[in-house]
Amino acid sequence: MPVEITWWGHATCTVEDSGVRLLTDPLFARRLAHLRRRRGAVPPPEAAVADVVLVSHLHADHLHLPSLARLAPGTRLLVPRGARRAVPGLARAAGLRGLSVTELVPGEEVAVREGVRVRAVSARHDGRRLPFGPHLAPALGYVVQGAARTYFAGDTGLFDTMAEEVGPVDVALLPVGGWGPYLGPGHLDPGRAAQALARLAPAAAVPVHYGTYWPVGMDAVRPHEFHAPGEEFERHARQLAPKVAVRVPGHGERVRLP
C-alpha cells in the first residue's frame, strides 16, 4: 500500500499509512508574531484530524499551542523529551483537550497501531523554545514505519551520520527553506537537502518548510528564498539523486508515494 502525503504548508503534513493519519508540526495560523501566511489558504478543519501528531522541536512555528488546541480529544502527541518542562503551556493544553503526550529521545520507538510504529531520530537544529533559552529538549526527526517507511526530518542541518541514524526509507519529507530571507545554521537549503537526499536514497521525496510564511514588510527582500526552494530542490535532486522521484505539491495537495 502506498503512503499518501498532504502538504498543508510550512512543515505541516498529513501522512496516511495503513489507515493511520499522522500530522507533522501542525501550524494552522494566519499570522504568528512577525510572520504572515503569504501563500496557501489556512488549512481546513480536516487538517487537524489525526491519530498521532509528531512535533519535531520547541520553536513556536513547530510546537504551536493554538494549533494543538484544534486537535480532537484523545489525539496522541509525540514530542521531544523535556518538552512539557520547557513549555508549561503544553501540559495545560494537553490537559484541556484530553491529548496524550509521549516524550521521546533519538532511538526510541513507539507503536501507534498494529503495523505502524514511529521512531525518533536525531536532528541538528537549535530547537530551544526561545532563541536564548536553556537546552531542555532535543530537536528530533521521525521515521514512520508502516506499509512504507517515511522520514520526516523536522528542522535539521546536514550531518555525517544522517543516513546511518535514519536507516532505509521509502519517502523523505525534507525541509528546503525557511520563513525568512536568510537561513541560519541547522537548516537545509535546496542544495544541502539534495545532498541529504543522495545519502538517504529513498524512492520518493517531498520538499517542505518553505513558501508559506514570511516576515511582515519583507516581501521584496530576496523573494526567491520564498518562492523558489521547492523547484530548486527538484533541480538539484535530478543531478545528485536522479533515481529519486521528487514531488512538489501545492498547498493542500495530496500525493501518493512511492
Side-chain angles (χ1 to χ4, degrees):
M1 177 187 294
V3 64
E4 293 187 339
I5 307 294
T6 304
W7 182 52
W8 302 110
H10 202 52
T12 307
C13 299
T14 295
V15 179
E16 298 178 75
D17 188 323
S18 305
V20 178
R21 286 174 62 96
L22 304 102
L23 179 64
T24 66
D25 288 349
L27 181 58
F28 303 136
R30 189 176 304 278
R31 184 164 177 172
L32 174 64
H34 65 299
L35 304 180
R36 179 176 53 175
R37 193 176 182 101
R38 296 288 293 150
R39 193 164 68 180
V42 173
E46 68 187 68
V49 177
D51 301 294
V52 181
V53 172
L54 312 179
V55 174
S56 64
H57 62 285
L58 306 188
H59 287 168
D61 58 323
H62 294 259
L63 174 53
H64 186 244
L65 297 177
S67 294
L68 296 182
R70 290 179 52 179
L71 301 173
T75 304
R76 186 174 186 182
L77 305 185
L78 304 185
V79 302
R81 181 170 296 172
R84 283 177 289 196
R85 176 187 171 201
V87 187
L90 173 60
R92 291 195 296 270
L96 288 172
R97 295 297 299 166
L99 308 177
S100 170
V101 180
T102 301
E103 297 190 346
L104 299 174
V105 296
E108 290 188 320
E109 183 175 294
V110 296
V112 298
R113 189 177 292 178
E114 185 176 356
V116 179
R117 303 182 66 85
V118 175
R119 175 167 50 92
V121 298
S122 297
R124 296 298 187 270
H125 187 69
D126 185 349
R128 290 176 286 185
R129 184 61 169 179
L130 297 174
F132 304 106
H135 285 281
L136 297 178
L140 300 177
Y142 294 96
V143 177
V144 178
Q145 301 173 113
R149 294 163 297 185
T150 301
Y151 171 46
F152 168 60
D155 248 357
T156 188
L158 189 63
F159 56 99
D160 291 340
T161 60
M162 176 182 278
E164 176 184 348
E165 292 191 41
V166 171
V169 290
D170 302 300
V171 177
L173 309 180
L174 295 178
V176 300
W179 49 252
Y182 301 97
L183 284 174
H187 293 88
L188 296 176
D189 63 12
R192 290 193 296 271
Q195 293 178 42
L197 193 66
R199 298 182 187 186
L200 294 165
V206 174
V208 301
H209 202 265
Y210 77 100
T212 308
Y213 292 92
W214 204 247
V216 173
M218 297 190 69
D219 292 3
V221 179
R222 294 171 60 86
H224 61 283
E225 298 293 347
F226 178 83
H227 293 284
E231 288 72 21
E232 288 189 2
F233 169 70
E234 186 176 28
R235 176 171 57 82
H236 285 292
R238 283 198 298 268
Q239 299 173 344
L240 298 179
K243 295 183 179 181
V244 181
V246 175
R247 300 289 298 274
V248 185
H251 290 75
E253 183 180 352
R254 177 185 295 182
V255 295
R256 179 171 290 193
L257 303 167

PDB file of all heavy atoms in Angstrom, residues 214-250:
ATOM      1  N   TRP A 214       6.240  34.444   5.850  1.00  0.00           N
ATOM      2  CA  TRP A 214       7.298  35.411   5.537  1.00  0.00           C
ATOM      3  C   TRP A 214       7.149  36.600   6.482  1.00  0.00           C
ATOM      4  O   TRP A 214       6.023  36.950   6.860  1.00  0.00           O
ATOM      5  CB  TRP A 214       7.177  35.866   4.095  1.00  0.00           C
ATOM      6  CG  TRP A 214       8.458  36.374   3.496  1.00  0.00           C
ATOM      7  CD1 TRP A 214       8.747  37.653   3.118  1.00  0.00           C
ATOM      8  CD2 TRP A 214       9.626  35.605   3.194  1.00  0.00           C
ATOM      9  NE1 TRP A 214      10.020  37.724   2.601  1.00  0.00           N
ATOM     10  CE2 TRP A 214      10.582  36.469   2.641  1.00  0.00           C
ATOM     11  CE3 TRP A 214       9.963  34.256   3.356  1.00  0.00           C
ATOM     12  CZ2 TRP A 214      11.847  36.051   2.247  1.00  0.00           C
ATOM     13  CZ3 TRP A 214      11.218  33.832   2.957  1.00  0.00           C
ATOM     14  CH2 TRP A 214      12.139  34.711   2.399  1.00  0.00           C
ATOM     15  N   PRO A 215       8.251  37.213   6.874  1.00  0.00           N
ATOM     16  CA  PRO A 215       8.137  38.354   7.792  1.00  0.00           C
ATOM     17  C   PRO A 215       7.347  39.511   7.183  1.00  0.00           C
ATOM     18  O   PRO A 215       7.496  39.835   5.999  1.00  0.00           O
ATOM     19  CB  PRO A 215       9.601  38.750   8.037  1.00  0.00           C
ATOM     20  CG  PRO A 215      10.386  37.515   7.749  1.00  0.00           C
ATOM     21  CD  PRO A 215       9.654  36.838   6.634  1.00  0.00           C
ATOM     22  N   VAL A 216       6.529  40.139   7.991  1.00  0.00           N
ATOM     23  CA  VAL A 216       5.757  41.295   7.560  1.00  0.00           C
ATOM     24  C   VAL A 216       6.702  42.398   7.107  1.00  0.00           C
ATOM     25  O   VAL A 216       7.699  42.708   7.767  1.00  0.00           O
ATOM     26  CB  VAL A 216       4.846  41.786   8.698  1.00  0.00           C
ATOM     27  CG1 VAL A 216       4.167  43.094   8.316  1.00  0.00           C
ATOM     28  CG2 VAL A 216       3.815  40.724   9.044  1.00  0.00           C
ATOM     29  N   GLY A 217       6.411  42.996   5.960  1.00  0.00           N
ATOM     30  CA  GLY A 217       7.194  44.113   5.456  1.00  0.00           C
ATOM     31  C   GLY A 217       8.450  43.731   4.704  1.00  0.00           C
ATOM     32  O   GLY A 217       9.204  44.609   4.283  1.00  0.00           O
ATOM     33  N   MET A 218       8.686  42.410   4.486  1.00  0.00           N
ATOM     34  CA  MET A 218       9.917  41.987   3.825  1.00  0.00           C
ATOM     35  C   MET A 218       9.645  41.239   2.524  1.00  0.00           C
ATOM     36  O   MET A 218      10.469  40.448   2.068  1.00  0.00           O
ATOM     37  CB  MET A 218      10.752  41.114   4.768  1.00  0.00           C
ATOM     38  CG  MET A 218      11.218  41.837   6.021  1.00  0.00           C
ATOM     39  SD  MET A 218      12.423  40.896   6.989  1.00  0.00           S
ATOM     40  CE  MET A 218      13.855  40.948   5.901  1.00  0.00           C
ATOM     41  N   ASP A 219       8.512  41.506   1.902  1.00  0.00           N
ATOM     42  CA  ASP A 219       8.160  40.792   0.680  1.00  0.00           C
ATOM     43  C   ASP A 219       9.170  41.001  -0.445  1.00  0.00           C
ATOM     44  O   ASP A 219       9.345  40.121  -1.295  1.00  0.00           O
ATOM     45  CB  ASP A 219       6.775  41.232   0.197  1.00  0.00           C
ATOM     46  CG  ASP A 219       5.661  40.779   1.128  1.00  0.00           C
ATOM     47  OD1 ASP A 219       5.974  40.172   2.162  1.00  0.00           O
ATOM     48  OD2 ASP A 219       4.491  41.052   0.824  1.00  0.00           O
ATOM     49  N   ALA A 220       9.823  42.159  -0.456  1.00  0.00           N
ATOM     50  CA  ALA A 220      10.737  42.472  -1.552  1.00  0.00           C
ATOM     51  C   ALA A 220      12.176  42.082  -1.255  1.00  0.00           C
ATOM     52  O   ALA A 220      13.057  42.287  -2.086  1.00  0.00           O
ATOM     53  CB  ALA A 220      10.675  43.973  -1.870  1.00  0.00           C
ATOM     54  N   VAL A 221      12.438  41.504  -0.077  1.00  0.00           N
ATOM     55  CA  VAL A 221      13.802  41.138   0.306  1.00  0.00           C
ATOM     56  C   VAL A 221      14.049  39.677  -0.068  1.00  0.00           C
ATOM     57  O   VAL A 221      13.443  38.772   0.494  1.00  0.00           O
ATOM     58  CB  VAL A 221      14.025  41.347   1.811  1.00  0.00           C
ATOM     59  CG1 VAL A 221      15.447  40.946   2.196  1.00  0.00           C
ATOM     60  CG2 VAL A 221      13.759  42.791   2.191  1.00  0.00           C
ATOM     61  N   ARG A 222      14.901  39.448  -1.069  1.00  0.00           N
ATOM     62  CA  ARG A 222      15.266  38.098  -1.510  1.00  0.00           C
ATOM     63  C   ARG A 222      14.022  37.219  -1.710  1.00  0.00           C
ATOM     64  O   ARG A 222      13.911  36.129  -1.139  1.00  0.00           O
ATOM     65  CB  ARG A 222      16.235  37.456  -0.509  1.00  0.00           C
ATOM     66  CG  ARG A 222      17.591  38.165  -0.449  1.00  0.00           C
ATOM     67  CD  ARG A 222      18.451  37.661   0.707  1.00  0.00           C
ATOM     68  NE  ARG A 222      18.740  36.244   0.632  1.00  0.00           N
ATOM     69  CZ  ARG A 222      19.751  35.696  -0.038  1.00  0.00           C
ATOM     70  NH1 ARG A 222      20.585  36.484  -0.728  1.00  0.00           N
ATOM     71  NH2 ARG A 222      19.959  34.398  -0.020  1.00  0.00           N
ATOM     72  N   PRO A 223      13.074  37.666  -2.520  1.00  0.00           N
ATOM     73  CA  PRO A 223      11.816  36.898  -2.671  1.00  0.00           C
ATOM     74  C   PRO A 223      12.029  35.501  -3.221  1.00  0.00           C
ATOM     75  O   PRO A 223      11.182  34.624  -3.007  1.00  0.00           O
ATOM     76  CB  PRO A 223      10.987  37.765  -3.615  1.00  0.00           C
ATOM     77  CG  PRO A 223      11.983  38.586  -4.362  1.00  0.00           C
ATOM     78  CD  PRO A 223      13.081  38.871  -3.362  1.00  0.00           C
ATOM     79  N   HIS A 224      13.142  35.246  -3.920  1.00  0.00           N
ATOM     80  CA  HIS A 224      13.379  33.900  -4.439  1.00  0.00           C
ATOM     81  C   HIS A 224      13.521  32.887  -3.314  1.00  0.00           C
ATOM     82  O   HIS A 224      13.236  31.700  -3.498  1.00  0.00           O
ATOM     83  CB  HIS A 224      14.629  33.885  -5.330  1.00  0.00           C
ATOM     84  CG  HIS A 224      15.892  34.270  -4.628  1.00  0.00           C
ATOM     85  ND1 HIS A 224      16.187  35.582  -4.328  1.00  0.00           N
ATOM     86  CD2 HIS A 224      16.923  33.520  -4.150  1.00  0.00           C
ATOM     87  CE1 HIS A 224      17.358  35.630  -3.706  1.00  0.00           C
ATOM     88  NE2 HIS A 224      17.812  34.403  -3.581  1.00  0.00           N
ATOM     89  N   GLU A 225      13.967  33.352  -2.126  1.00  0.00           N
ATOM     90  CA  GLU A 225      14.093  32.438  -0.999  1.00  0.00           C
ATOM     91  C   GLU A 225      12.728  31.990  -0.494  1.00  0.00           C
ATOM     92  O   GLU A 225      12.623  30.995   0.228  1.00  0.00           O
ATOM     93  CB  GLU A 225      14.886  33.090   0.139  1.00  0.00           C
ATOM     94  CG  GLU A 225      16.306  33.458  -0.219  1.00  0.00           C
ATOM     95  CD  GLU A 225      17.178  32.240  -0.486  1.00  0.00           C
ATOM     96  OE1 GLU A 225      16.754  31.111  -0.148  1.00  0.00           O
ATOM     97  OE2 GLU A 225      18.274  32.398  -1.049  1.00  0.00           O
ATOM     98  N   PHE A 226      11.680  32.713  -0.846  1.00  0.00           N
ATOM     99  CA  PHE A 226      10.320  32.315  -0.510  1.00  0.00           C
ATOM    100  C   PHE A 226       9.730  31.402  -1.585  1.00  0.00           C
ATOM    101  O   PHE A 226       9.177  30.350  -1.293  1.00  0.00           O
ATOM    102  CB  PHE A 226       9.440  33.556  -0.332  1.00  0.00           C
ATOM    103  CG  PHE A 226       7.993  33.250  -0.031  1.00  0.00           C
ATOM    104  CD1 PHE A 226       7.584  32.966   1.255  1.00  0.00           C
ATOM    105  CD2 PHE A 226       7.042  33.243  -1.044  1.00  0.00           C
ATOM    106  CE1 PHE A 226       6.259  32.678   1.535  1.00  0.00           C
ATOM    107  CE2 PHE A 226       5.715  32.959  -0.779  1.00  0.00           C
ATOM    108  CZ  PHE A 226       5.313  32.681   0.522  1.00  0.00           C
ATOM    109  N   HIS A 227       9.856  31.819  -2.849  1.00  0.00           N
ATOM    110  CA  HIS A 227       9.139  31.157  -3.936  1.00  0.00           C
ATOM    111  C   HIS A 227       9.872  29.946  -4.510  1.00  0.00           C
ATOM    112  O   HIS A 227       9.220  28.989  -4.944  1.00  0.00           O
ATOM    113  CB  HIS A 227       8.874  32.152  -5.065  1.00  0.00           C
ATOM    114  CG  HIS A 227       7.929  33.240  -4.703  1.00  0.00           C
ATOM    115  ND1 HIS A 227       6.570  33.047  -4.610  1.00  0.00           N
ATOM    116  CD2 HIS A 227       8.145  34.555  -4.398  1.00  0.00           C
ATOM    117  CE1 HIS A 227       5.986  34.176  -4.269  1.00  0.00           C
ATOM    118  NE2 HIS A 227       6.910  35.105  -4.134  1.00  0.00           N
ATOM    119  N   ALA A 228      11.200  29.962  -4.541  1.00  0.00           N
ATOM    120  CA  ALA A 228      11.934  29.030  -5.396  1.00  0.00           C
ATOM    121  C   ALA A 228      12.422  27.740  -4.759  1.00  0.00           C
ATOM    122  O   ALA A 228      12.787  26.814  -5.498  1.00  0.00           O
ATOM    123  CB  ALA A 228      13.144  29.770  -6.003  1.00  0.00           C
ATOM    124  N   PRO A 229      12.507  27.592  -3.436  1.00  0.00           N
ATOM    125  CA  PRO A 229      13.196  26.412  -2.893  1.00  0.00           C
ATOM    126  C   PRO A 229      12.662  25.065  -3.365  1.00  0.00           C
ATOM    127  O   PRO A 229      13.450  24.134  -3.574  1.00  0.00           O
ATOM    128  CB  PRO A 229      13.037  26.578  -1.375  1.00  0.00           C
ATOM    129  CG  PRO A 229      12.996  28.051  -1.175  1.00  0.00           C
ATOM    130  CD  PRO A 229      12.202  28.558  -2.349  1.00  0.00           C
ATOM    131  N   GLY A 230      11.351  24.900  -3.513  1.00  0.00           N
ATOM    132  CA  GLY A 230      10.824  23.607  -3.939  1.00  0.00           C
ATOM    133  C   GLY A 230      11.334  23.207  -5.303  1.00  0.00           C
ATOM    134  O   GLY A 230      11.819  22.079  -5.502  1.00  0.00           O
ATOM    135  N   GLU A 231      11.247  24.118  -6.257  1.00  0.00           N
ATOM    136  CA  GLU A 231      11.699  23.824  -7.613  1.00  0.00           C
ATOM    137  C   GLU A 231      13.230  23.695  -7.668  1.00  0.00           C
ATOM    138  O   GLU A 231      13.770  22.871  -8.406  1.00  0.00           O
ATOM    139  CB  GLU A 231      11.236  24.917  -8.573  1.00  0.00           C
ATOM    140  CG  GLU A 231       9.744  24.882  -8.868  1.00  0.00           C
ATOM    141  CD  GLU A 231       8.881  25.334  -7.698  1.00  0.00           C
ATOM    142  OE1 GLU A 231       9.391  26.042  -6.796  1.00  0.00           O
ATOM    143  OE2 GLU A 231       7.682  24.967  -7.682  1.00  0.00           O
ATOM    144  N   GLU A 232      13.945  24.500  -6.864  1.00  0.00           N
ATOM    145  CA  GLU A 232      15.400  24.384  -6.833  1.00  0.00           C
ATOM    146  C   GLU A 232      15.826  23.029  -6.264  1.00  0.00           C
ATOM    147  O   GLU A 232      16.791  22.414  -6.738  1.00  0.00           O
ATOM    148  CB  GLU A 232      16.003  25.521  -6.011  1.00  0.00           C
ATOM    149  CG  GLU A 232      15.946  26.876  -6.695  1.00  0.00           C
ATOM    150  CD  GLU A 232      16.737  27.919  -5.936  1.00  0.00           C
ATOM    151  OE1 GLU A 232      17.354  27.583  -4.907  1.00  0.00           O
ATOM    152  OE2 GLU A 232      16.743  29.076  -6.394  1.00  0.00           O
ATOM    153  N   PHE A 233      15.123  22.572  -5.238  1.00  0.00           N
ATOM    154  CA  PHE A 233      15.416  21.255  -4.686  1.00  0.00           C
ATOM    155  C   PHE A 233      15.211  20.180  -5.742  1.00  0.00           C
ATOM    156  O   PHE A 233      16.047  19.267  -5.901  1.00  0.00           O
ATOM    157  CB  PHE A 233      14.521  20.996  -3.481  1.00  0.00           C
ATOM    158  CG  PHE A 233      14.540  19.575  -2.990  1.00  0.00           C
ATOM    159  CD1 PHE A 233      15.660  19.050  -2.362  1.00  0.00           C
ATOM    160  CD2 PHE A 233      13.423  18.756  -3.156  1.00  0.00           C
ATOM    161  CE1 PHE A 233      15.678  17.729  -1.908  1.00  0.00           C
ATOM    162  CE2 PHE A 233      13.429  17.448  -2.696  1.00  0.00           C
ATOM    163  CZ  PHE A 233      14.564  16.938  -2.076  1.00  0.00           C
ATOM    164  N   GLU A 234      14.128  20.273  -6.484  1.00  0.00           N
ATOM    165  CA  GLU A 234      13.869  19.290  -7.535  1.00  0.00           C
ATOM    166  C   GLU A 234      14.992  19.302  -8.568  1.00  0.00           C
ATOM    167  O   GLU A 234      15.440  18.236  -9.039  1.00  0.00           O
ATOM    168  CB  GLU A 234      12.527  19.592  -8.191  1.00  0.00           C
ATOM    169  CG  GLU A 234      12.076  18.557  -9.196  1.00  0.00           C
ATOM    170  CD  GLU A 234      10.694  18.864  -9.742  1.00  0.00           C
ATOM    171  OE1 GLU A 234      10.309  20.055  -9.780  1.00  0.00           O
ATOM    172  OE2 GLU A 234      10.003  17.907 -10.141  1.00  0.00           O
ATOM    173  N   ARG A 235      15.471  20.495  -8.917  1.00  0.00           N
ATOM    174  CA  ARG A 235      16.548  20.600  -9.909  1.00  0.00           C
ATOM    175  C   ARG A 235      17.848  19.992  -9.376  1.00  0.00           C
ATOM    176  O   ARG A 235      18.518  19.223 -10.074  1.00  0.00           O
ATOM    177  CB  ARG A 235      16.760  22.070 -10.285  1.00  0.00           C
ATOM    178  CG  ARG A 235      17.912  22.310 -11.245  1.00  0.00           C
ATOM    179  CD  ARG A 235      17.923  23.744 -11.730  1.00  0.00           C
ATOM    180  NE  ARG A 235      17.985  24.705 -10.636  1.00  0.00           N
ATOM    181  CZ  ARG A 235      19.114  25.053 -10.020  1.00  0.00           C
ATOM    182  NH1 ARG A 235      20.276  24.505 -10.381  1.00  0.00           N
ATOM    183  NH2 ARG A 235      19.096  25.953  -9.059  1.00  0.00           N
ATOM    184  N   HIS A 236      18.200  20.310  -8.134  1.00  0.00           N
ATOM    185  CA  HIS A 236      19.414  19.734  -7.546  1.00  0.00           C
ATOM    186  C   HIS A 236      19.291  18.221  -7.409  1.00  0.00           C
ATOM    187  O   HIS A 236      20.268  17.482  -7.610  1.00  0.00           O
ATOM    188  CB  HIS A 236      19.676  20.351  -6.173  1.00  0.00           C
ATOM    189  CG  HIS A 236      20.222  21.748  -6.218  1.00  0.00           C
ATOM    190  ND1 HIS A 236      21.492  22.036  -6.687  1.00  0.00           N
ATOM    191  CD2 HIS A 236      19.681  22.931  -5.833  1.00  0.00           C
ATOM    192  CE1 HIS A 236      21.704  23.337  -6.599  1.00  0.00           C
ATOM    193  NE2 HIS A 236      20.626  23.905  -6.094  1.00  0.00           N
ATOM    194  N   ALA A 237      18.084  17.752  -7.052  1.00  0.00           N
ATOM    195  CA  ALA A 237      17.884  16.319  -6.877  1.00  0.00           C
ATOM    196  C   ALA A 237      18.088  15.561  -8.186  1.00  0.00           C
ATOM    197  O   ALA A 237      18.598  14.432  -8.179  1.00  0.00           O
ATOM    198  CB  ALA A 237      16.500  16.047  -6.317  1.00  0.00           C
ATOM    199  N   ARG A 238      17.701  16.157  -9.314  1.00  0.00           N
ATOM    200  CA  ARG A 238      17.904  15.490 -10.601  1.00  0.00           C
ATOM    201  C   ARG A 238      19.389  15.251 -10.859  1.00  0.00           C
ATOM    202  O   ARG A 238      19.756  14.283 -11.521  1.00  0.00           O
ATOM    203  CB  ARG A 238      17.304  16.326 -11.738  1.00  0.00           C
ATOM    204  CG  ARG A 238      15.794  16.223 -11.835  1.00  0.00           C
ATOM    205  CD  ARG A 238      15.289  16.699 -13.196  1.00  0.00           C
ATOM    206  NE  ARG A 238      15.599  18.103 -13.432  1.00  0.00           N
ATOM    207  CZ  ARG A 238      14.791  19.112 -13.128  1.00  0.00           C
ATOM    208  NH1 ARG A 238      13.616  18.863 -12.566  1.00  0.00           N
ATOM    209  NH2 ARG A 238      15.126  20.356 -13.380  1.00  0.00           N
ATOM    210  N   GLN A 239      20.238  16.120 -10.340  1.00  0.00           N
ATOM    211  CA  GLN A 239      21.676  15.983 -10.538  1.00  0.00           C
ATOM    212  C   GLN A 239      22.310  15.033  -9.525  1.00  0.00           C
ATOM    213  O   GLN A 239      23.165  14.212  -9.881  1.00  0.00           O
ATOM    214  CB  GLN A 239      22.342  17.358 -10.450  1.00  0.00           C
ATOM    215  CG  GLN A 239      21.876  18.346 -11.497  1.00  0.00           C
ATOM    216  CD  GLN A 239      22.436  19.747 -11.279  1.00  0.00           C
ATOM    217  OE1 GLN A 239      22.933  20.071 -10.205  1.00  0.00           O
ATOM    218  NE2 GLN A 239      22.356  20.571 -12.306  1.00  0.00           N
ATOM    219  N   LEU A 240      21.894  15.148  -8.247  1.00  0.00           N
ATOM    220  CA  LEU A 240      22.564  14.407  -7.178  1.00  0.00           C
ATOM    221  C   LEU A 240      21.896  13.083  -6.836  1.00  0.00           C
ATOM    222  O   LEU A 240      22.555  12.176  -6.318  1.00  0.00           O
ATOM    223  CB  LEU A 240      22.636  15.279  -5.911  1.00  0.00           C
ATOM    224  CG  LEU A 240      23.423  16.582  -6.034  1.00  0.00           C
ATOM    225  CD1 LEU A 240      23.390  17.343  -4.712  1.00  0.00           C
ATOM    226  CD2 LEU A 240      24.860  16.304  -6.455  1.00  0.00           C
ATOM    227  N   ALA A 241      20.599  12.985  -7.076  1.00  0.00           N
ATOM    228  CA  ALA A 241      19.863  11.757  -6.735  1.00  0.00           C
ATOM    229  C   ALA A 241      18.845  11.469  -7.835  1.00  0.00           C
ATOM    230  O   ALA A 241      17.639  11.495  -7.603  1.00  0.00           O
ATOM    231  CB  ALA A 241      19.177  11.919  -5.379  1.00  0.00           C
ATOM    232  N   PRO A 242      19.310  11.185  -9.044  1.00  0.00           N
ATOM    233  CA  PRO A 242      18.395  11.087 -10.189  1.00  0.00           C
ATOM    234  C   PRO A 242      17.399   9.940 -10.098  1.00  0.00           C
ATOM    235  O   PRO A 242      16.383   9.961 -10.802  1.00  0.00           O
ATOM    236  CB  PRO A 242      19.355  10.902 -11.374  1.00  0.00           C
ATOM    237  CG  PRO A 242      20.606  10.348 -10.773  1.00  0.00           C
ATOM    238  CD  PRO A 242      20.721  10.970  -9.426  1.00  0.00           C
ATOM    239  N   LYS A 243      17.647   8.958  -9.264  1.00  0.00           N
ATOM    240  CA  LYS A 243      16.723   7.836  -9.150  1.00  0.00           C
ATOM    241  C   LYS A 243      15.551   8.119  -8.213  1.00  0.00           C
ATOM    242  O   LYS A 243      14.603   7.323  -8.153  1.00  0.00           O
ATOM    243  CB  LYS A 243      17.469   6.588  -8.678  1.00  0.00           C
ATOM    244  CG  LYS A 243      18.506   6.062  -9.676  1.00  0.00           C
ATOM    245  CD  LYS A 243      19.157   4.792  -9.169  1.00  0.00           C
ATOM    246  CE  LYS A 243      20.175   4.261 -10.178  1.00  0.00           C
ATOM    247  NZ  LYS A 243      20.805   3.004  -9.698  1.00  0.00           N
ATOM    248  N   VAL A 244      15.601   9.230  -7.485  1.00  0.00           N
ATOM    249  CA  VAL A 244      14.552   9.563  -6.528  1.00  0.00           C
ATOM    250  C   VAL A 244      13.450  10.348  -7.235  1.00  0.00           C
ATOM    251  O   VAL A 244      13.725  11.343  -7.914  1.00  0.00           O
ATOM    252  CB  VAL A 244      15.104  10.386  -5.347  1.00  0.00           C
ATOM    253  CG1 VAL A 244      13.983  10.706  -4.350  1.00  0.00           C
ATOM    254  CG2 VAL A 244      16.238   9.629  -4.647  1.00  0.00           C
ATOM    255  N   ALA A 245      12.225   9.931  -7.062  1.00  0.00           N
ATOM    256  CA  ALA A 245      11.078  10.647  -7.620  1.00  0.00           C
ATOM    257  C   ALA A 245      10.713  11.795  -6.678  1.00  0.00           C
ATOM    258  O   ALA A 245      10.283  11.555  -5.547  1.00  0.00           O
ATOM    259  CB  ALA A 245       9.894   9.713  -7.787  1.00  0.00           C
ATOM    260  N   VAL A 246      10.908  13.025  -7.126  1.00  0.00           N
ATOM    261  CA  VAL A 246      10.605  14.200  -6.310  1.00  0.00           C
ATOM    262  C   VAL A 246       9.246  14.746  -6.716  1.00  0.00           C
ATOM    263  O   VAL A 246       8.995  15.004  -7.893  1.00  0.00           O
ATOM    264  CB  VAL A 246      11.685  15.283  -6.464  1.00  0.00           C
ATOM    265  CG1 VAL A 246      11.301  16.547  -5.707  1.00  0.00           C
ATOM    266  CG2 VAL A 246      13.030  14.753  -5.971  1.00  0.00           C
ATOM    267  N   ARG A 247       8.376  14.922  -5.737  1.00  0.00           N
ATOM    268  CA  ARG A 247       7.072  15.531  -5.966  1.00  0.00           C
ATOM    269  C   ARG A 247       7.039  16.862  -5.226  1.00  0.00           C
ATOM    270  O   ARG A 247       7.445  16.947  -4.058  1.00  0.00           O
ATOM    271  CB  ARG A 247       5.956  14.622  -5.445  1.00  0.00           C
ATOM    272  CG  ARG A 247       5.919  13.259  -6.117  1.00  0.00           C
ATOM    273  CD  ARG A 247       5.439  13.328  -7.557  1.00  0.00           C
ATOM    274  NE  ARG A 247       4.079  13.837  -7.657  1.00  0.00           N
ATOM    275  CZ  ARG A 247       2.996  13.065  -7.551  1.00  0.00           C
ATOM    276  NH1 ARG A 247       3.126  11.752  -7.350  1.00  0.00           N
ATOM    277  NH2 ARG A 247       1.789  13.583  -7.656  1.00  0.00           N
ATOM    278  N   VAL A 248       6.545  17.901  -5.894  1.00  0.00           N
ATOM    279  CA  VAL A 248       6.476  19.244  -5.307  1.00  0.00           C
ATOM    280  C   VAL A 248       5.004  19.647  -5.266  1.00  0.00           C
ATOM    281  O   VAL A 248       4.488  20.287  -6.181  1.00  0.00           O
ATOM    282  CB  VAL A 248       7.305  20.256  -6.120  1.00  0.00           C
ATOM    283  CG1 VAL A 248       7.321  21.618  -5.427  1.00  0.00           C
ATOM    284  CG2 VAL A 248       8.737  19.756  -6.309  1.00  0.00           C
ATOM    285  N   PRO A 249       4.286  19.256  -4.219  1.00  0.00           N
ATOM    286  CA  PRO A 249       2.851  19.553  -4.172  1.00  0.00           C
ATOM    287  C   PRO A 249       2.578  21.009  -3.862  1.00  0.00           C
ATOM    288  O   PRO A 249       3.412  21.717  -3.272  1.00  0.00           O
ATOM    289  CB  PRO A 249       2.354  18.655  -3.035  1.00  0.00           C
ATOM    290  CG  PRO A 249       3.529  18.502  -2.144  1.00  0.00           C
ATOM    291  CD  PRO A 249       4.738  18.492  -3.046  1.00  0.00           C
ATOM    292  N   GLY A 250       1.408  21.479  -4.258  1.00  0.00           N
ATOM    293  CA  GLY A 250       0.936  22.780  -3.832  1.00  0.00           C
ATOM    294  C   GLY A 250       0.324  22.677  -2.450  1.00  0.00           C
ATOM    295  O   GLY A 250       0.112  21.582  -1.911  1.00  0.00           O
TER     296      GLY A 250
END
